PDB file of all heavy atoms in Angstrom:
ATOM      1  N   VAL C  25     166.090  71.696  66.135  1.00 86.00           N
ATOM      2  CA  VAL C  25     167.364  72.085  65.475  1.00 86.00           C
ATOM      3  C   VAL C  25     168.411  72.189  66.585  1.00 86.00           C
ATOM      4  O   VAL C  25     168.265  72.793  67.565  1.00 86.00           O
ATOM      5  CB  VAL C  25     167.157  73.496  64.731  1.00 86.00           C
ATOM      6  CG1 VAL C  25     168.513  73.848  64.129  1.00 86.00           C
ATOM      7  CG2 VAL C  25     166.051  73.308  63.646  1.00 86.00           C
ATOM      8  N   ARG C  26     169.588  71.619  66.310  1.00 91.00           N
ATOM      9  CA  ARG C  26     170.742  71.905  67.111  1.00 91.00           C
ATOM     10  C   ARG C  26     171.979  72.446  66.412  1.00 91.00           C
ATOM     11  O   ARG C  26     172.197  72.132  65.191  1.00 91.00           O
ATOM     12  CB  ARG C  26     171.140  70.542  67.796  1.00 91.00           C
ATOM     13  CG  ARG C  26     171.806  69.555  66.921  1.00 91.00           C
ATOM     14  CD  ARG C  26     173.315  69.514  67.183  1.00 91.00           C
ATOM     15  NE  ARG C  26     173.977  68.547  66.444  1.00 91.00           N
ATOM     16  CZ  ARG C  26     174.671  68.614  65.329  1.00 91.00           C
ATOM     17  NH1 ARG C  26     174.732  69.876  64.831  1.00 91.00           N
ATOM     18  NH2 ARG C  26     175.227  67.659  64.761  1.00 91.00           N
ATOM     19  N   ILE C  27     172.737  73.347  67.038  1.00 94.00           N
ATOM     20  CA  ILE C  27     173.895  73.737  66.483  1.00 94.00           C
ATOM     21  C   ILE C  27     175.076  73.261  67.342  1.00 94.00           C
ATOM     22  O   ILE C  27     174.991  73.256  68.657  1.00 94.00           O
ATOM     23  CB  ILE C  27     173.886  75.290  66.406  1.00 94.00           C
ATOM     24  CG1 ILE C  27     175.231  75.906  65.818  1.00 94.00           C
ATOM     25  CG2 ILE C  27     173.593  75.909  67.798  1.00 94.00           C
ATOM     26  CD1 ILE C  27     175.262  77.238  65.616  1.00 94.00           C
ATOM     27  N   LYS C  28     176.134  72.746  66.804  1.00 95.00           N
ATOM     28  CA  LYS C  28     177.284  72.169  67.599  1.00 95.00           C
ATOM     29  C   LYS C  28     178.613  72.732  67.079  1.00 95.00           C
ATOM     30  O   LYS C  28     178.836  72.862  65.893  1.00 95.00           O
ATOM     31  CB  LYS C  28     177.233  70.735  67.447  1.00 95.00           C
ATOM     32  CG  LYS C  28     178.428  70.094  68.075  1.00 95.00           C
ATOM     33  CD  LYS C  28     178.327  68.427  67.996  1.00 95.00           C
ATOM     34  CE  LYS C  28     177.305  67.968  69.009  1.00 95.00           C
ATOM     35  NZ  LYS C  28     177.292  66.473  69.029  1.00 95.00           N
ATOM     36  N   HIS C  29     179.406  73.179  68.081  1.00 95.00           N
ATOM     37  CA  HIS C  29     180.687  73.732  67.844  1.00 95.00           C
ATOM     38  C   HIS C  29     181.675  72.752  68.313  1.00 95.00           C
ATOM     39  O   HIS C  29     181.672  72.268  69.586  1.00 95.00           O
ATOM     40  CB  HIS C  29     181.025  75.013  68.580  1.00 95.00           C
ATOM     41  CG  HIS C  29     179.868  76.023  68.301  1.00 95.00           C
ATOM     42  ND1 HIS C  29     179.758  76.924  67.247  1.00 95.00           N
ATOM     43  CD2 HIS C  29     178.688  76.266  69.067  1.00 95.00           C
ATOM     44  CE1 HIS C  29     178.634  77.664  67.268  1.00 95.00           C
ATOM     45  NE2 HIS C  29     178.019  77.308  68.355  1.00 95.00           N
ATOM     46  N   ARG C  30     182.732  72.397  67.606  1.00 94.00           N
ATOM     47  CA  ARG C  30     183.731  71.325  68.032  1.00 94.00           C
ATOM     48  C   ARG C  30     185.156  72.027  68.078  1.00 94.00           C
ATOM     49  O   ARG C  30     185.566  72.697  67.120  1.00 94.00           O
ATOM     50  CB  ARG C  30     183.684  70.101  66.971  1.00 94.00           C
ATOM     51  CG  ARG C  30     182.453  69.319  66.926  1.00 94.00           C
ATOM     52  CD  ARG C  30     182.600  68.236  65.956  1.00 94.00           C
ATOM     53  NE  ARG C  30     181.415  67.391  65.921  1.00 94.00           N
ATOM     54  CZ  ARG C  30     180.389  67.539  65.286  1.00 94.00           C
ATOM     55  NH1 ARG C  30     180.286  68.696  64.435  1.00 94.00           N
ATOM     56  NH2 ARG C  30     179.385  66.786  65.223  1.00 94.00           N
ATOM     57  N   LEU C  31     185.910  71.607  69.000  1.00 92.00           N
ATOM     58  CA  LEU C  31     187.254  71.968  69.245  1.00 92.00           C
ATOM     59  C   LEU C  31     187.980  70.610  69.505  1.00 92.00           C
ATOM     60  O   LEU C  31     188.011  70.158  70.675  1.00 92.00           O
ATOM     61  CB  LEU C  31     187.477  72.963  70.244  1.00 92.00           C
ATOM     62  CG  LEU C  31     188.917  73.306  70.555  1.00 92.00           C
ATOM     63  CD1 LEU C  31     189.750  73.725  69.392  1.00 92.00           C
ATOM     64  CD2 LEU C  31     189.124  74.239  71.855  1.00 92.00           C
ATOM     65  N   GLY C  32     188.553  70.053  68.386  1.00 90.00           N
ATOM     66  CA  GLY C  32     189.155  68.672  68.702  1.00 90.00           C
ATOM     67  C   GLY C  32     188.134  67.760  69.108  1.00 90.00           C
ATOM     68  O   GLY C  32     187.023  67.531  68.428  1.00 90.00           O
ATOM     69  N   GLN C  33     188.231  67.095  70.204  1.00 92.00           N
ATOM     70  CA  GLN C  33     187.216  66.086  70.635  1.00 92.00           C
ATOM     71  C   GLN C  33     186.127  66.666  71.703  1.00 92.00           C
ATOM     72  O   GLN C  33     185.317  65.952  72.188  1.00 92.00           O
ATOM     73  CB  GLN C  33     187.950  64.846  71.428  1.00 92.00           C
ATOM     74  CG  GLN C  33     189.004  64.209  70.546  1.00 92.00           C
ATOM     75  CD  GLN C  33     189.737  63.077  71.340  1.00 92.00           C
ATOM     76  OE1 GLN C  33     189.064  62.253  72.107  1.00 92.00           O
ATOM     77  NE2 GLN C  33     191.043  63.067  71.136  1.00 92.00           N
ATOM     78  N   ASN C  34     186.300  67.972  72.009  1.00 95.00           N
ATOM     79  CA  ASN C  34     185.417  68.603  72.947  1.00 95.00           C
ATOM     80  C   ASN C  34     184.328  69.464  72.071  1.00 95.00           C
ATOM     81  O   ASN C  34     184.619  69.953  71.014  1.00 95.00           O
ATOM     82  CB  ASN C  34     186.107  69.509  73.943  1.00 95.00           C
ATOM     83  CG  ASN C  34     187.122  68.728  74.713  1.00 95.00           C
ATOM     84  OD1 ASN C  34     186.778  67.559  74.936  1.00 95.00           O
ATOM     85  ND2 ASN C  34     188.184  69.355  75.264  1.00 95.00           N
ATOM     86  N   THR C  35     183.109  69.600  72.605  1.00 96.00           N
ATOM     87  CA  THR C  35     182.076  70.309  71.913  1.00 96.00           C
ATOM     88  C   THR C  35     181.198  71.108  72.831  1.00 96.00           C
ATOM     89  O   THR C  35     181.176  70.814  74.001  1.00 96.00           O
ATOM     90  CB  THR C  35     181.142  69.316  71.198  1.00 96.00           C
ATOM     91  OG1 THR C  35     180.535  68.470  72.162  1.00 96.00           O
ATOM     92  CG2 THR C  35     181.890  68.365  70.274  1.00 96.00           C
ATOM     93  N   ILE C  36     180.588  72.118  72.249  1.00 97.00           N
ATOM     94  CA  ILE C  36     179.574  72.824  72.986  1.00 97.00           C
ATOM     95  C   ILE C  36     178.368  72.942  72.051  1.00 97.00           C
ATOM     96  O   ILE C  36     178.540  73.248  70.909  1.00 97.00           O
ATOM     97  CB  ILE C  36     180.029  74.306  73.471  1.00 97.00           C
ATOM     98  CG1 ILE C  36     179.005  74.916  74.278  1.00 97.00           C
ATOM     99  CG2 ILE C  36     180.447  75.121  72.271  1.00 97.00           C
ATOM    100  CD1 ILE C  36     179.579  76.004  75.212  1.00 97.00           C
ATOM    101  N   THR C  37     177.207  72.624  72.512  1.00 96.00           N
ATOM    102  CA  THR C  37     176.017  72.452  71.669  1.00 96.00           C
ATOM    103  C   THR C  37     174.822  73.204  72.277  1.00 96.00           C
ATOM    104  O   THR C  37     174.673  73.325  73.451  1.00 96.00           O
ATOM    105  CB  THR C  37     175.639  70.974  71.638  1.00 96.00           C
ATOM    106  OG1 THR C  37     176.761  70.269  71.324  1.00 96.00           O
ATOM    107  CG2 THR C  37     174.623  70.677  70.528  1.00 96.00           C
ATOM    108  N   MET C  38     174.020  73.691  71.233  1.00 96.00           N
ATOM    109  CA  MET C  38     172.706  74.338  71.762  1.00 96.00           C
ATOM    110  C   MET C  38     171.604  73.604  71.083  1.00 96.00           C
ATOM    111  O   MET C  38     171.602  73.302  69.902  1.00 96.00           O
ATOM    112  CB  MET C  38     172.628  75.762  71.260  1.00 96.00           C
ATOM    113  CG  MET C  38     171.416  76.576  71.562  1.00 96.00           C
ATOM    114  SD  MET C  38     171.394  78.323  71.176  1.00 96.00           S
ATOM    115  CE  MET C  38     171.565  78.255  69.385  1.00 96.00           C
ATOM    116  N   TYR C  39     170.553  73.239  71.936  1.00 91.00           N
ATOM    117  CA  TYR C  39     169.315  72.523  71.478  1.00 91.00           C
ATOM    118  C   TYR C  39     168.070  73.352  71.871  1.00 91.00           C
ATOM    119  O   TYR C  39     168.166  74.114  72.851  1.00 91.00           O
ATOM    120  CB  TYR C  39     169.250  71.212  72.221  1.00 91.00           C
ATOM    121  CG  TYR C  39     170.394  70.277  72.177  1.00 91.00           C
ATOM    122  CD1 TYR C  39     171.353  70.283  73.050  1.00 91.00           C
ATOM    123  CD2 TYR C  39     170.411  69.250  71.193  1.00 91.00           C
ATOM    124  CE1 TYR C  39     172.532  69.397  73.026  1.00 91.00           C
ATOM    125  CE2 TYR C  39     171.420  68.255  71.211  1.00 91.00           C
ATOM    126  CZ  TYR C  39     172.465  68.351  72.020  1.00 91.00           C
ATOM    127  OH  TYR C  39     173.477  67.514  72.015  1.00 91.00           O
ATOM    128  N   ASP C  40     167.010  73.024  71.171  1.00 91.00           N
ATOM    129  CA  ASP C  40     165.684  73.382  71.763  1.00 91.00           C
ATOM    130  C   ASP C  40     164.963  72.120  72.069  1.00 91.00           C
ATOM    131  O   ASP C  40     164.861  71.126  71.297  1.00 91.00           O
ATOM    132  CB  ASP C  40     164.754  74.172  70.819  1.00 91.00           C
ATOM    133  CG  ASP C  40     164.754  73.513  69.503  1.00 91.00           C
ATOM    134  OD1 ASP C  40     165.627  72.786  69.127  1.00 91.00           O
ATOM    135  OD2 ASP C  40     163.620  73.872  68.705  1.00 91.00           O
ATOM    136  N   LYS C  41     164.697  71.941  73.373  1.00 89.00           N
ATOM    137  CA  LYS C  41     164.152  70.619  73.946  1.00 89.00           C
ATOM    138  C   LYS C  41     162.745  70.739  74.347  1.00 89.00           C
ATOM    139  O   LYS C  41     162.315  71.720  75.067  1.00 89.00           O
ATOM    140  CB  LYS C  41     165.002  70.221  75.155  1.00 89.00           C
ATOM    141  CG  LYS C  41     166.427  70.078  74.943  1.00 89.00           C
ATOM    142  CD  LYS C  41     166.863  68.761  74.218  1.00 89.00           C
ATOM    143  CE  LYS C  41     166.609  67.571  75.012  1.00 89.00           C
ATOM    144  NZ  LYS C  41     167.083  66.406  74.344  1.00 89.00           N
ATOM    145  N   GLN C  42     161.821  69.915  73.832  1.00 88.00           N
ATOM    146  CA  GLN C  42     160.499  69.723  74.222  1.00 88.00           C
ATOM    147  C   GLN C  42     159.756  71.054  74.005  1.00 88.00           C
ATOM    148  O   GLN C  42     158.879  71.399  74.777  1.00 88.00           O
ATOM    149  CB  GLN C  42     160.444  69.300  75.726  1.00 88.00           C
ATOM    150  CG  GLN C  42     160.938  67.964  75.956  1.00 88.00           C
ATOM    151  CD  GLN C  42     160.231  66.799  75.191  1.00 88.00           C
ATOM    152  OE1 GLN C  42     159.064  66.933  74.903  1.00 88.00           O
ATOM    153  NE2 GLN C  42     160.960  65.855  74.812  1.00 88.00           N
ATOM    154  N   GLY C  43     160.156  71.878  73.151  1.00 87.00           N
ATOM    155  CA  GLY C  43     159.443  73.137  72.803  1.00 87.00           C
ATOM    156  C   GLY C  43     159.656  74.350  73.635  1.00 87.00           C
ATOM    157  O   GLY C  43     159.485  75.461  73.278  1.00 87.00           O
ATOM    158  N   SER C  44     160.012  74.180  74.871  1.00 91.00           N
ATOM    159  CA  SER C  44     160.164  75.292  75.880  1.00 91.00           C
ATOM    160  C   SER C  44     161.413  75.226  76.741  1.00 91.00           C
ATOM    161  O   SER C  44     161.565  75.987  77.671  1.00 91.00           O
ATOM    162  CB  SER C  44     158.891  75.153  76.863  1.00 91.00           C
ATOM    163  OG  SER C  44     158.913  74.056  77.601  1.00 91.00           O
ATOM    164  N   VAL C  45     162.441  74.427  76.369  1.00 93.00           N
ATOM    165  CA  VAL C  45     163.666  74.314  77.147  1.00 93.00           C
ATOM    166  C   VAL C  45     164.832  74.568  76.246  1.00 93.00           C
ATOM    167  O   VAL C  45     164.977  73.950  75.183  1.00 93.00           O
ATOM    168  CB  VAL C  45     163.904  72.952  77.684  1.00 93.00           C
ATOM    169  CG1 VAL C  45     165.261  72.938  78.457  1.00 93.00           C
ATOM    170  CG2 VAL C  45     162.725  72.639  78.732  1.00 93.00           C
ATOM    171  N   LEU C  46     165.617  75.694  76.430  1.00 94.00           N
ATOM    172  CA  LEU C  46     166.937  76.055  75.684  1.00 94.00           C
ATOM    173  C   LEU C  46     168.014  75.388  76.558  1.00 94.00           C
ATOM    174  O   LEU C  46     168.179  75.617  77.654  1.00 94.00           O
ATOM    175  CB  LEU C  46     167.034  77.526  75.662  1.00 94.00           C
ATOM    176  CG  LEU C  46     168.310  77.933  74.994  1.00 94.00           C
ATOM    177  CD1 LEU C  46     168.357  77.607  73.489  1.00 94.00           C
ATOM    178  CD2 LEU C  46     168.563  79.467  75.131  1.00 94.00           C
ATOM    179  N   ARG C  47     168.730  74.521  75.808  1.00 95.00           N
ATOM    180  CA  ARG C  47     169.841  73.774  76.388  1.00 95.00           C
ATOM    181  C   ARG C  47     171.224  74.077  75.774  1.00 95.00           C
ATOM    182  O   ARG C  47     171.250  73.998  74.701  1.00 95.00           O
ATOM    183  CB  ARG C  47     169.579  72.321  76.445  1.00 95.00           C
ATOM    184  CG  ARG C  47     170.760  71.430  77.025  1.00 95.00           C
ATOM    185  CD  ARG C  47     170.400  69.916  77.120  1.00 95.00           C
ATOM    186  NE  ARG C  47     169.369  69.720  78.063  1.00 95.00           N
ATOM    187  CZ  ARG C  47     168.766  68.533  78.456  1.00 95.00           C
ATOM    188  NH1 ARG C  47     169.205  67.524  77.752  1.00 95.00           N
ATOM    189  NH2 ARG C  47     167.862  68.475  79.238  1.00 95.00           N
ATOM    190  N   ILE C  48     172.173  74.547  76.613  1.00 96.00           N
ATOM    191  CA  ILE C  48     173.475  74.581  76.293  1.00 96.00           C
ATOM    192  C   ILE C  48     174.372  73.465  76.936  1.00 96.00           C
ATOM    193  O   ILE C  48     174.183  73.331  78.177  1.00 96.00           O
ATOM    194  CB  ILE C  48     174.171  75.908  76.752  1.00 96.00           C
ATOM    195  CG1 ILE C  48     173.138  77.151  76.311  1.00 96.00           C
ATOM    196  CG2 ILE C  48     175.480  76.231  76.131  1.00 96.00           C
ATOM    197  CD1 ILE C  48     172.944  77.244  74.829  1.00 96.00           C
ATOM    198  N   GLU C  49     174.990  72.739  76.245  1.00 97.00           N
ATOM    199  CA  GLU C  49     175.659  71.542  76.776  1.00 97.00           C
ATOM    200  C   GLU C  49     177.098  71.370  76.386  1.00 97.00           C
ATOM    201  O   GLU C  49     177.512  71.565  75.064  1.00 97.00           O
ATOM    202  CB  GLU C  49     174.976  70.254  76.216  1.00 97.00           C
ATOM    203  CG  GLU C  49     175.592  69.018  76.786  1.00 97.00           C
ATOM    204  CD  GLU C  49     174.637  67.841  76.317  1.00 97.00           C
ATOM    205  OE1 GLU C  49     174.849  67.333  75.129  1.00 97.00           O
ATOM    206  OE2 GLU C  49     173.713  67.389  77.027  1.00 97.00           O
ATOM    207  N   THR C  50     178.023  71.320  77.369  1.00 97.00           N
ATOM    208  CA  THR C  50     179.454  71.146  77.047  1.00 97.00           C
ATOM    209  C   THR C  50     179.840  69.617  77.234  1.00 97.00           C
ATOM    210  O   THR C  50     179.505  69.190  78.303  1.00 97.00           O
ATOM    211  CB  THR C  50     180.323  72.027  77.971  1.00 97.00           C
ATOM    212  OG1 THR C  50     180.091  73.428  77.750  1.00 97.00           O
ATOM    213  CG2 THR C  50     181.783  71.694  77.765  1.00 97.00           C
ATOM    214  N   THR C  51     180.563  69.126  76.242  1.00 97.00           N
ATOM    215  CA  THR C  51     180.902  67.736  76.337  1.00 97.00           C
ATOM    216  C   THR C  51     182.505  67.675  76.330  1.00 97.00           C
ATOM    217  O   THR C  51     183.104  68.279  75.281  1.00 97.00           O
ATOM    218  CB  THR C  51     180.330  66.855  75.167  1.00 97.00           C
ATOM    219  OG1 THR C  51     178.995  66.923  75.151  1.00 97.00           O
ATOM    220  CG2 THR C  51     180.873  65.401  75.188  1.00 97.00           C
ATOM    221  N   ILE C  52     183.077  67.089  77.289  1.00 96.00           N
ATOM    222  CA  ILE C  52     184.501  66.901  77.377  1.00 96.00           C
ATOM    223  C   ILE C  52     184.993  65.513  77.269  1.00 96.00           C
ATOM    224  O   ILE C  52     184.606  64.668  78.014  1.00 96.00           O
ATOM    225  CB  ILE C  52     184.995  67.541  78.753  1.00 96.00           C
ATOM    226  CG1 ILE C  52     184.757  69.032  78.791  1.00 96.00           C
ATOM    227  CG2 ILE C  52     186.450  67.275  78.836  1.00 96.00           C
ATOM    228  CD1 ILE C  52     185.106  69.685  80.087  1.00 96.00           C
ATOM    229  N   ASN C  53     185.743  65.200  76.130  1.00 95.00           N
ATOM    230  CA  ASN C  53     186.290  63.948  76.089  1.00 95.00           C
ATOM    231  C   ASN C  53     187.872  63.997  76.289  1.00 95.00           C
ATOM    232  O   ASN C  53     188.455  63.086  76.570  1.00 95.00           O
ATOM    233  CB  ASN C  53     186.108  63.463  74.560  1.00 95.00           C
ATOM    234  CG  ASN C  53     184.639  63.228  74.305  1.00 95.00           C
ATOM    235  OD1 ASN C  53     184.137  62.054  74.715  1.00 95.00           O
ATOM    236  ND2 ASN C  53     183.992  63.982  73.471  1.00 95.00           N
ATOM    237  N   GLN C  54     188.479  65.252  76.057  1.00 93.00           N
ATOM    238  CA  GLN C  54     189.844  65.427  76.156  1.00 93.00           C
ATOM    239  C   GLN C  54     190.101  66.461  77.109  1.00 93.00           C
ATOM    240  O   GLN C  54     189.690  67.687  77.006  1.00 93.00           O
ATOM    241  CB  GLN C  54     190.402  65.777  74.817  1.00 93.00           C
ATOM    242  CG  GLN C  54     191.988  66.103  74.817  1.00 93.00           C
ATOM    243  CD  GLN C  54     192.837  64.906  75.303  1.00 93.00           C
ATOM    244  OE1 GLN C  54     193.321  65.019  76.476  1.00 93.00           O
ATOM    245  NE2 GLN C  54     193.050  63.941  74.528  1.00 93.00           N
ATOM    246  N   VAL C  55     190.786  66.175  78.219  1.00 93.00           N
ATOM    247  CA  VAL C  55     190.987  67.111  79.293  1.00 93.00           C
ATOM    248  C   VAL C  55     192.382  67.819  79.014  1.00 93.00           C
ATOM    249  O   VAL C  55     192.598  68.910  79.862  1.00 93.00           O
ATOM    250  CB  VAL C  55     191.122  66.482  80.621  1.00 93.00           C
ATOM    251  CG1 VAL C  55     189.820  65.751  80.933  1.00 93.00           C
ATOM    252  CG2 VAL C  55     192.224  65.383  80.790  1.00 93.00           C
ATOM    253  N   LYS C  56     193.169  67.660  77.999  1.00 88.00           N
ATOM    254  CA  LYS C  56     194.465  68.379  77.827  1.00 88.00           C
ATOM    255  C   LYS C  56     194.090  69.815  77.525  1.00 88.00           C
ATOM    256  O   LYS C  56     193.173  70.200  76.796  1.00 88.00           O
ATOM    257  CB  LYS C  56     195.112  67.706  76.566  1.00 88.00           C
ATOM    258  CG  LYS C  56     196.448  68.371  76.256  1.00 88.00           C
ATOM    259  CD  LYS C  56     197.162  67.787  75.019  1.00 88.00           C
ATOM    260  CE  LYS C  56     198.484  68.412  74.768  1.00 88.00           C
ATOM    261  NZ  LYS C  56     199.124  67.754  73.589  1.00 88.00           N
ATOM    262  N   GLY C  57     194.808  70.671  78.302  1.00 87.00           N
ATOM    263  CA  GLY C  57     194.621  72.124  78.216  1.00 87.00           C
ATOM    264  C   GLY C  57     193.955  72.739  79.299  1.00 87.00           C
ATOM    265  O   GLY C  57     193.905  73.815  79.522  1.00 87.00           O
ATOM    266  N   PHE C  58     193.212  71.827  80.147  1.00 92.00           N
ATOM    267  CA  PHE C  58     192.498  72.315  81.261  1.00 92.00           C
ATOM    268  C   PHE C  58     193.290  72.113  82.519  1.00 92.00           C
ATOM    269  O   PHE C  58     194.133  71.292  82.665  1.00 92.00           O
ATOM    270  CB  PHE C  58     191.150  71.626  81.536  1.00 92.00           C
ATOM    271  CG  PHE C  58     190.218  71.734  80.337  1.00 92.00           C
ATOM    272  CD1 PHE C  58     189.870  70.719  79.655  1.00 92.00           C
ATOM    273  CD2 PHE C  58     189.795  73.101  80.093  1.00 92.00           C
ATOM    274  CE1 PHE C  58     188.873  70.892  78.533  1.00 92.00           C
ATOM    275  CE2 PHE C  58     188.856  73.174  78.996  1.00 92.00           C
ATOM    276  CZ  PHE C  58     188.430  72.145  78.288  1.00 92.00           C
ATOM    277  N   LYS C  59     193.087  73.049  83.575  1.00 92.00           N
ATOM    278  CA  LYS C  59     193.892  72.957  84.772  1.00 92.00           C
ATOM    279  C   LYS C  59     192.897  72.790  86.102  1.00 92.00           C
ATOM    280  O   LYS C  59     191.767  73.020  85.966  1.00 92.00           O
ATOM    281  CB  LYS C  59     194.576  74.330  85.029  1.00 92.00           C
ATOM    282  CG  LYS C  59     195.577  74.733  83.860  1.00 92.00           C
ATOM    283  CD  LYS C  59     196.891  73.804  83.858  1.00 92.00           C
ATOM    284  CE  LYS C  59     197.865  74.406  82.919  1.00 92.00           C
ATOM    285  NZ  LYS C  59     199.091  73.588  82.883  1.00 92.00           N
ATOM    286  N   THR C  60     193.578  72.152  87.031  1.00 93.00           N
ATOM    287  CA  THR C  60     192.855  72.036  88.343  1.00 93.00           C
ATOM    288  C   THR C  60     193.871  72.394  89.454  1.00 93.00           C
ATOM    289  O   THR C  60     194.945  72.132  89.318  1.00 93.00           O
ATOM    290  CB  THR C  60     192.288  70.592  88.477  1.00 93.00           C
ATOM    291  OG1 THR C  60     191.595  70.502  89.711  1.00 93.00           O
ATOM    292  CG2 THR C  60     193.448  69.584  88.499  1.00 93.00           C
ATOM    293  N   PHE C  61     193.247  73.044  90.446  1.00 92.00           N
ATOM    294  CA  PHE C  61     193.992  73.506  91.647  1.00 92.00           C
ATOM    295  C   PHE C  61     194.242  72.308  92.631  1.00 92.00           C
ATOM    296  O   PHE C  61     193.228  71.895  93.242  1.00 92.00           O
ATOM    297  CB  PHE C  61     193.452  74.618  92.379  1.00 92.00           C
ATOM    298  CG  PHE C  61     194.241  75.421  93.285  1.00 92.00           C
ATOM    299  CD1 PHE C  61     195.426  76.119  92.845  1.00 92.00           C
ATOM    300  CD2 PHE C  61     194.021  75.336  94.640  1.00 92.00           C
ATOM    301  CE1 PHE C  61     196.164  76.752  93.722  1.00 92.00           C
ATOM    302  CE2 PHE C  61     194.757  76.079  95.536  1.00 92.00           C
ATOM    303  CZ  PHE C  61     195.933  76.754  95.139  1.00 92.00           C
ATOM    304  N   ARG C  62     195.488  71.735  92.589  1.00 92.00           N
ATOM    305  CA  ARG C  62     195.678  70.508  93.508  1.00 92.00           C
ATOM    306  C   ARG C  62     197.200  70.416  93.710  1.00 92.00           C
ATOM    307  O   ARG C  62     198.018  71.101  93.225  1.00 92.00           O
ATOM    308  CB  ARG C  62     195.250  69.336  92.745  1.00 92.00           C
ATOM    309  CG  ARG C  62     195.929  68.999  91.356  1.00 92.00           C
ATOM    310  CD  ARG C  62     195.478  67.826  90.694  1.00 92.00           C
ATOM    311  NE  ARG C  62     196.092  67.534  89.454  1.00 92.00           N
ATOM    312  CZ  ARG C  62     197.313  66.969  89.208  1.00 92.00           C
ATOM    313  NH1 ARG C  62     197.927  66.542  90.324  1.00 92.00           N
ATOM    314  NH2 ARG C  62     197.753  66.861  87.964  1.00 92.00           N
ATOM    315  N   ALA C  63     197.509  69.473  94.585  1.00 91.00           N
ATOM    316  CA  ALA C  63     198.942  69.043  94.931  1.00 91.00           C
ATOM    317  C   ALA C  63     199.430  68.097  93.915  1.00 91.00           C
ATOM    318  O   ALA C  63     198.649  67.316  93.400  1.00 91.00           O
ATOM    319  CB  ALA C  63     199.024  68.588  96.378  1.00 91.00           C
ATOM    320  N   PRO C  64     200.685  68.054  93.687  1.00 90.00           N
ATOM    321  CA  PRO C  64     201.210  66.956  92.735  1.00 90.00           C
ATOM    322  C   PRO C  64     200.909  65.516  93.342  1.00 90.00           C
ATOM    323  O   PRO C  64     200.958  65.380  94.603  1.00 90.00           O
ATOM    324  CB  PRO C  64     202.706  67.248  92.714  1.00 90.00           C
ATOM    325  CG  PRO C  64     202.872  68.628  93.200  1.00 90.00           C
ATOM    326  CD  PRO C  64     201.702  68.853  94.174  1.00 90.00           C
ATOM    327  N   GLU C  65     200.564  64.610  92.492  1.00 86.00           N
ATOM    328  CA  GLU C  65     200.209  63.304  92.930  1.00 86.00           C
ATOM    329  C   GLU C  65     201.469  62.671  93.720  1.00 86.00           C
ATOM    330  O   GLU C  65     201.268  61.876  94.582  1.00 86.00           O
ATOM    331  CB  GLU C  65     199.844  62.399  91.698  1.00 86.00           C
ATOM    332  CG  GLU C  65     198.572  62.853  91.109  1.00 86.00           C
ATOM    333  CD  GLU C  65     198.206  61.884  89.870  1.00 86.00           C
ATOM    334  OE1 GLU C  65     199.081  61.078  89.426  1.00 86.00           O
ATOM    335  OE2 GLU C  65     197.146  62.073  89.384  1.00 86.00           O
TER     336      GLU C  65
END
């Protein structure tokens, strides 16, 4: 069984894998709204 939460094009999902592995997975398709510490291009 998996449960998936979507915010626009980005998701966070919880799986049970191979019976003994709990996986939390973040998928990013859209970077709008996120920041990074850098100099201007």
Side-chain angles (χ1 to χ4, degrees):
V25 177
R26 74 103 175 101
I27 178 172
K28 177 172 288 189
H29 312 274
R30 295 180 177 85
L31 174 59
Q33 300 180 45
N34 300 332
T35 66
I36 186 164
T37 311
M38 179 172 67
Y39 305 87
D40 55 333
K41 303 283 291 183
Q42 299 298 325
S44 61
V45 178
L46 175 67
R47 174 171 295 176
I48 309 300
E49 182 178 85
T50 294
T51 300
I52 296 180
N53 294 285
Q54 175 57 258
V55 298
K56 184 178 180 181
F58 297 120
K59 301 287 187 178
T60 183
F61 193 67
R62 61 179 177 85
E65 293 182 348

